[in-house]
């Protein structure tokens, strides 16, 4: 599984347009929170049609960046979660004056310019607690390997 995830992380370097800090109302990007000296909650969220392993790869990349910033060589993950929900938005009908050219000249009528519709987005989130250490555990990741595989992100 680790080999597959490292391979996946390598391929993410060509798809970097979704990797950025989550800000505002758009449900996309990474976010993290320090919860103890060597522990962070790390998440990545997207509304795009990305597979779970890709989303997990982005979360692991963020965890590796945090490890580097805090001078850790390794980290392991616990409390791994995948969440998915559908966000629906109802868009109301827009009415206005519609003008059309006819053989007898221009004709204007009041009518529906844009009909009402509902848009839906599937929002996926991967989150886990990253525990940083300076020795590689059995389920650990090496910070420098993940970062080297994703240079240019």
């Amino acid at each position: 599984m680790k080999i597959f995830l490292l391979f996946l992380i390598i391929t993410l370097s060509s798809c970097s347009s979704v990797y950025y800090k989550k800000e505002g109302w758009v449900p996309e990007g990474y976010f993290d929170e320090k919860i103890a000296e060597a522990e962070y909650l790390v998440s990545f969220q997207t509304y795009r049609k990305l597979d779970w392993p890709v989303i997990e790869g982005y979360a692991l990349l963020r965890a590796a960046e945090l490890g580097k910033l805090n001078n850790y060589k390794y980290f392991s993950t616990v409390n791994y979660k995948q969440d998915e929900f559908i966000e629906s938005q109802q868009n109301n009908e827009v009415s206005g004056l519609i003008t059309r050219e006819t053989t007898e000249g221009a004709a204007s009528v009041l009518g529906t310019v844009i009909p009402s519709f509902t848009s839906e987005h599937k929002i996926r989130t991967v989150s886990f607690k990253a525990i940083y250490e300076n020795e590689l555990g059995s389920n650990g990741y090496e910070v420098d390997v993940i970062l080297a595989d994703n240079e240019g992100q």
Side-chain angles (χ1 to χ4, degrees), residues 59-92:
L60 289 170
L61 176 57
R62 181 58 186 160
E65 290 173 341
L66 291 169
K68 188 71 166 181
L69 287 171
N70 292 289
N71 299 312
Y72 288 103
K73 293 182 179 187
Y74 309 100
F75 68 94
S76 57
T77 62
V78 295
N79 300 334
Y80 179 89
K81 268 185 12 179
Q82 293 179 340
D83 292 318
E84 180 177 271
F85 67 94
I86 304 292
E87 180 179 82
S88 296
Q89 179 180 3
Q90 176 65 37
N91 297 290
N92 295 325

Side-chain angles (χ1 to χ4, degrees), residues 86-137:
I86 304 292
E87 180 179 82
S88 296
Q89 179 180 3
Q90 176 65 37
N91 297 290
N92 295 325
E93 178 180 280
V94 176
S95 296
L97 195 60
I98 302 170
T99 303
R100 296 214 168 119
E101 291 293 324
T102 67
T103 56
E104 299 172 2
S108 297
V109 294
L110 187 59
T112 300
V113 177
I114 301 172
S116 65
F117 64 95
T118 301
S119 58
E120 293 185 345
H121 299 283
K122 187 182 295 184
I123 299 172
R124 289 181 163 186
T125 306
V126 167
S127 58
F128 53 78
K129 179 166 50 171
I131 302 171
Y132 296 92
E133 47 220 0
N134 285 316
E135 292 184 21
L136 184 59

